[in-house]
Amino acid sequence: MTQTISFKLSELAAEFVATLPDCRFESDGDDPIITGVAAIDKAQSGEITFVSSSKFVARLKDTQASAVILDLKTPSPLPCIRTAHPRILFAKVLEKFYQPPTPPVGIHPTAILGEDVQLGANVAIAPYVVISDRVKIGDNVTIYPHVTIYNDVEIGANTTIHANCVISDRTQIGANCLFHPSTVLGGDGFGFEISPNGTWYKVPQIGHVIIEDNVELGCSCAVDRPAVGVTVIRKGSKLDNFVQIGHGVEVGAHSVLASQVGLAGGVTLGHHVVMAGQVGAANHIHIGDGAIIGAKSGIPSDVPAGVTMMGYPVVPEKDWKRIVISERQLPDLLHTVRKLEKRIAELEAKLAD
C-alpha cells in the first residue's frame, strides 16, 4: 500500500525557506492539509495547484484546489505559497509528493559484472545489467535494467542510468547525472573517407566521452566519441530527447538543447547556450556564451555571444520576424508589381507614338 504524504500548507512553505528565502505562506486564516499536486482544472480538495501565467489566474475562482503556488504579486482567492520563483517552488513541491521507485540497493542475481569492477556504497544494480572490466562506480549510483557498460568506464556518485542505456569504453561520467532510457554514450563518430575504388573507408574512432557533473540527458540521445581526443558535455547542461552530439563536440556549462538538436563534429558551445527543437549546426563552428537559437534553425557559421537568432541560415530574431512578415505579403506585392509593369508598358507605348 502506498503511504499517504500530507503537510499543512504552512509546514510545506517552511520546508523551502532555506533554498527560497522569500518563500512565504499566506492565508486569511485557513491552513489546509495538502496531500498532493494537480493541474488547476483537475485539482481536488486537499491538493495544491500552480499558476504559471496571468492568463490562468481567472481559473482560480473555479478550481477545487485547496491552495495555490504563486508569484509575489498575483492576487489569490485561496491560501497560497508565494515566491519570486514560482516555477522552482512548483518543482520542489512536486519532489515532496512524488519520488520515483528505484531498484533496491544491491546487485540483482541476473546482473553480470566483469573483472576488477569497483562499486561504491549503496549502489543499486537492477536485473540484466552488464558491467564490463575495470569499471568504477561511485556511491549511491542507480542502474536500471538492461544497461550495458563497457570497459574502463567511470561513473560519479549519485548518478542514475535508466533502462537500455549503453556506455562505451573509457567514458567518464560525473556526479549527480541522470540519463533517461536508451541513451548511448561513446558510440562511434560518423567518420568515413572515400577510397580510390569509390568505397567508404571507416576512420577508427578511438577517442572517448566526458560527461561532467549534474548533466541530464533525455531519452535516445547519442553522444559520439571522436577519432582522437574527447567529446565533452560540461557541468549542468540539460539535453532533451533525441539530441545528437557529434564527434569532438564541446557543449558548454549549463546549456540547454531541446528535442532533435543536432551538432556536427567539432562544434563548440559556450556556457548557457539555449537551442530550441530541431536546430542543426554545421561542423567546426562556435556558438558564443548565452546565445539563443530558435526552433528549426540552421547554423552554417559562428554565432556571437548573447544574441537571439532564428531561421535558415540564422539571422537575428528581429530580422527573422521582418522576413516572415514580408514573405506573407509577397502575393500582394507581386500583384502590385505586375500592375505597375503593365502601366509602364502602356505609358511607354504612348510615348513611342
Side-chain angles (χ1 to χ4, degrees), residues 22-261:
D22 66 348
C23 179
R24 67 174 188 257
F25 162 65
E26 187 176 288
S27 174
D28 289 337
D30 191 16
D31 191 1
I33 301 294
I34 304 301
T35 59
V37 189
I40 193 168
D41 56 344
K42 303 293 184 182
Q44 301 298 314
S45 178
E47 294 178 319
I48 189 169
T49 191
F50 169 59
V51 171
S52 60
S53 171
S54 57
K55 66 182 179 181
F56 298 118
V57 171
R59 298 187 187 180
L60 285 175
K61 68 180 188 307
D62 299 318
T63 187
Q64 299 301 304
S66 295
V68 61
I69 298 166
L70 289 170
D71 60 24
L72 296 175
K73 297 180 180 179
T74 301
S76 175
L78 300 174
C80 63
I81 308 177
R82 295 187 181 276
T83 174
H85 306 280
R87 288 183 179 273
I88 299 295
L89 178 57
F90 174 61
K92 289 180 178 293
V93 170
L94 285 175
E95 289 170 349
K96 294 295 292 185
F97 285 98
Y98 176 72
Q99 291 295 323
T102 58
V105 170
I107 303 171
H108 192 274
T110 60
I112 298 174
L113 273 63
E115 297 181 356
D116 300 321
V117 173
Q118 299 179 29
L119 300 178
N122 303 313
V123 169
I125 299 177
Y128 304 106
V129 170
V130 177
I131 300 176
S132 298
D133 299 342
R134 299 176 301 280
V135 172
K136 298 179 181 179
I137 298 176
D139 296 343
N140 306 307
V141 168
T142 299
I143 303 176
Y144 281 83
H146 295 283
V147 169
T148 299
I149 301 174
Y150 286 44
N151 292 339
D152 303 299
V153 169
E154 298 183 11
I155 302 172
N158 306 306
T159 286
T160 297
I161 304 174
H162 280 280
N164 298 309
C165 288
V166 177
I167 315 296
S168 193
D169 57 287
R170 295 172 288 122
T171 298
Q172 299 174 26
I173 297 169
N176 306 305
C177 292
L178 174 59
F179 306 145
H180 291 279
S182 299
T183 277
V184 177
L185 304 180
D188 279 1
F190 194 67
F192 298 89
E193 290 294 330
I194 194 72
S195 297
N197 64 2
T199 62
W200 290 100
Y201 193 86
K202 182 176 177 63
V203 178
Q205 307 292 298
I206 66 170
H208 65 282
V209 167
I210 297 175
I211 309 293
E212 294 187 345
D213 297 346
N214 301 301
V215 168
E216 181 167 345
L217 305 179
C219 298
S220 299
C221 289
V223 182
D224 291 350
R225 60 182 177 186
V228 293
V230 294
T231 301
V232 184
I233 300 181
R234 298 292 182 195
K235 63 181 181 181
S237 289
K238 314 297 181 185
L239 277 59
D240 195 3
N241 302 334
F242 296 102
V243 171
Q244 161 72 30
I245 304 298
H247 53 273
V249 166
E250 179 176 343
V251 176
H254 306 291
S255 292
V256 174
L257 280 58
S259 177
Q260 299 181 22
V261 165

Side-chain angles (χ1 to χ4, degrees), residues 15 145 156 246 271:
E15 289 274 338
H271 63 78

Side-chain angles (χ1 to χ4, degrees), residues 7-28:
F7 301 89
K8 285 186 176 181
L9 186 62
S10 59
E11 295 172 343
L12 196 58
E15 289 274 338
F16 308 116
V17 171
T19 53
L20 294 170
D22 66 348
C23 179
R24 67 174 188 257
F25 162 65
E26 187 176 288
S27 174
D28 289 337

